[in-house]
Amino acid sequence: MEQSTPAMYGPPDTAPKQKSRLARGTRKYFWGLLFLLPAIAIFILFLWVPIVKGFVYSFYHIDFVKGDNFVGFDNYKSVFGDSDVLIAVKNTLYYMLLCLVIGFWVPILFAIAISELRRFQGFVRVAAYLPNVLPFVVLYGLWRWFYDSVGPINGLITKMGLDPIAFMTNKSWSMISIVFMETWQSFGSAMLIYLAAVLSIPRDWYEAAEIDGAGVWNRIRYITLPSISKLVGLLLILQIIATTQGYQSQLAMLDGGPNKATLTYSLYIVKNAFTRLDYGVASALGVLMFLVLGGIGVLQYRLQRKGEN
């Protein structure tokens, strides 16, 4: 009788084990995946389908009556040959710079100041966040009255013996006025994020610093700011991306005026699409913005990974 050796047998059959493992995993996560399906469907339908269609439409002349015509890169040629595009890009960069210089540091300063309060901290949090819940229609109407030639701001300036400022009709002041309004309205939400990060810093560090004789500024400089530096960097990138897409305030307050002083890139896309009904050029403008913002996102991700390593 011949003795069998292990060589006579093949490798153990792992397929049933893999199938049973897959079946167990499917049963385990079935209901979770089922509840995720509506969110995934909405995400694909309202985000990725418009993105793909935007890329496709950028090569077409869109006409809902006569039908769409393939025009190749003509829409992109129109974009690069349009002088208003350069104005819109410059205004967007200027708007971005103003938001960083004027508005970016406000929530950080408020969060640090509130964290140092010993009393009424809850009241100050609510008061700082209240402007964020105002409806936009009320907000724009309120600030148009503030900026009016006979409004409270110019009334205060006049009482100080200075000449009134034409906030809404002066090209030098129009974009600055919008940034001040948006800073007042939206800094509360960012402030709460920063405040949560500041309050999560171990209190032992501050107590040790106080024992060593560190004052408020030294505690902020050597403990608070280094501890929230990654969050500051992340929100900086998010604000840059958000400001490149800003158009609502410029449209509602001044419609891109005076003399195109507040015509941002996103507002120019909206005007091409819904005023001129030139959806092909608007799609080309959107594709270019998508590529630029995608590059910024990839750069931020690589810098973050490099910092972690």
Side-chain angles (χ1 to χ4, degrees):
M1 182 175 179
E2 295 183 359
Q3 186 176 2
S4 61
T5 61
M8 296 175 62
Y9 299 95
D13 190 5
T14 59
K17 293 182 179 179
Q18 292 177 354
K19 289 182 179 179
S20 61
R21 193 178 303 167
L22 180 62
R24 287 196 303 271
T26 303
R27 286 195 299 269
K28 182 178 179 181
Y29 298 109
F30 172 76
W31 289 108
L33 294 173
L34 189 63
F35 280 111
L36 280 175
L37 280 178
I40 295 173
I42 292 173
F43 184 78
I44 293 173
L45 182 63
F46 292 102
L47 183 66
W48 284 107
V49 170
I51 289 175
V52 173
K53 284 190 174 183
F55 274 91
V56 174
Y57 288 166
S58 66
F59 297 101
Y60 281 82
H61 174 69
I62 308 300
D63 193 326
F64 295 110
V65 178
K66 299 180 181 178
D68 303 339
N69 295 319
F70 181 77
V71 294
F73 289 95
D74 287 353
N75 291 326
Y76 291 94
K77 292 178 181 177
S78 299
V79 169
F80 289 110
D82 190 350
S83 59
D84 286 344
V85 174
L86 183 59
I87 295 174
V89 171
K90 289 181 178 179
N91 288 339
T92 303
L93 293 175
Y94 180 54
Y95 172 64
M96 184 190 307
L97 178 64
L98 288 176
C99 288
L100 292 176
V101 173
I102 297 174
F104 181 71
W105 300 104
V106 173
I108 301 176
L109 295 176
F110 266 80
I112 294 174
I114 292 174
S115 68
E116 294 289 335
L117 290 177
R118 296 292 183 263
R119 300 176 63 184
F120 305 110
Q121 191 176 112
F123 171 77
V124 177
R125 288 189 205 177
V126 174
Y129 187 74
L130 274 179
N132 202 67
V133 302
L134 276 179
F136 286 107
V137 175
V138 176
L139 175 74
Y140 298 144
L142 177 67
W143 279 88
R144 284 191 70 89
W145 173 64
F146 281 163
Y147 288 141
D148 194 82
S149 58
V150 293
I153 297 178
N154 272 317
L156 180 61
I157 293 174
T158 305
K159 286 183 179 179
M160 296 170 61
L162 302 175
D163 294 331
I165 299 173
F167 292 103
M168 295 285 97
T169 57
N170 190 326
K171 291 179 61 176
S172 302
W173 281 97
S174 54
M175 190 69 82
I176 297 175
S177 303
I178 289 176
V179 171
F180 269 109
M181 177 197 69
E182 290 185 340
T183 301
W184 178 84
Q185 189 265 339
S186 62
F187 84 93
S189 56
M191 181 271 297
L192 291 181
I193 297 174
Y194 284 119
L195 183 60
V198 172
L199 295 179
S200 67
I201 301 172
R203 306 308 300 175
D204 297 344
W205 297 0
Y206 292 102
E207 292 173 1
E210 289 179 2
I211 293 173
D212 290 339
V216 175
W217 168 243
N218 285 329
R219 293 200 303 270
I220 293 173
R221 180 181 179 185
Y222 294 107
I223 298 178
T224 305
L225 293 179
S227 298
I228 65 173
S229 59
K230 289 185 178 180
L231 177 63
V232 172
L234 174 62
L235 292 184
L236 174 62
I237 297 297
L238 293 178
Q239 176 161 322
I240 290 174
I241 294 174
T243 50
T244 57
Q245 300 173 345
Y247 79 93
Q248 184 170 304
S249 301
Q250 290 81 1
L251 175 63
M253 296 287 286
L254 295 166
D255 195 25
N259 195 18
K260 302 179 182 178
T262 58
L263 179 65
T264 58
Y265 191 86
S266 293
L267 179 56
Y268 194 55
I269 294 176
V270 172
K271 284 183 174 293
N272 273 280
F274 302 109
T275 302
R276 301 177 183 176
L277 301 180
D278 196 342
Y279 296 100
V281 171
S283 298
L285 289 166
V287 167
L288 294 174
M289 173 181 279
F290 177 83
L291 295 176
V292 171
L293 295 182
I296 293 175
V298 171
L299 178 63
Q300 184 267 339
Y301 175 76
R302 290 191 174 183
L303 291 175
Q304 184 179 358
R305 290 291 300 272
K306 184 178 179 181
E308 291 176 356
N309 294 332

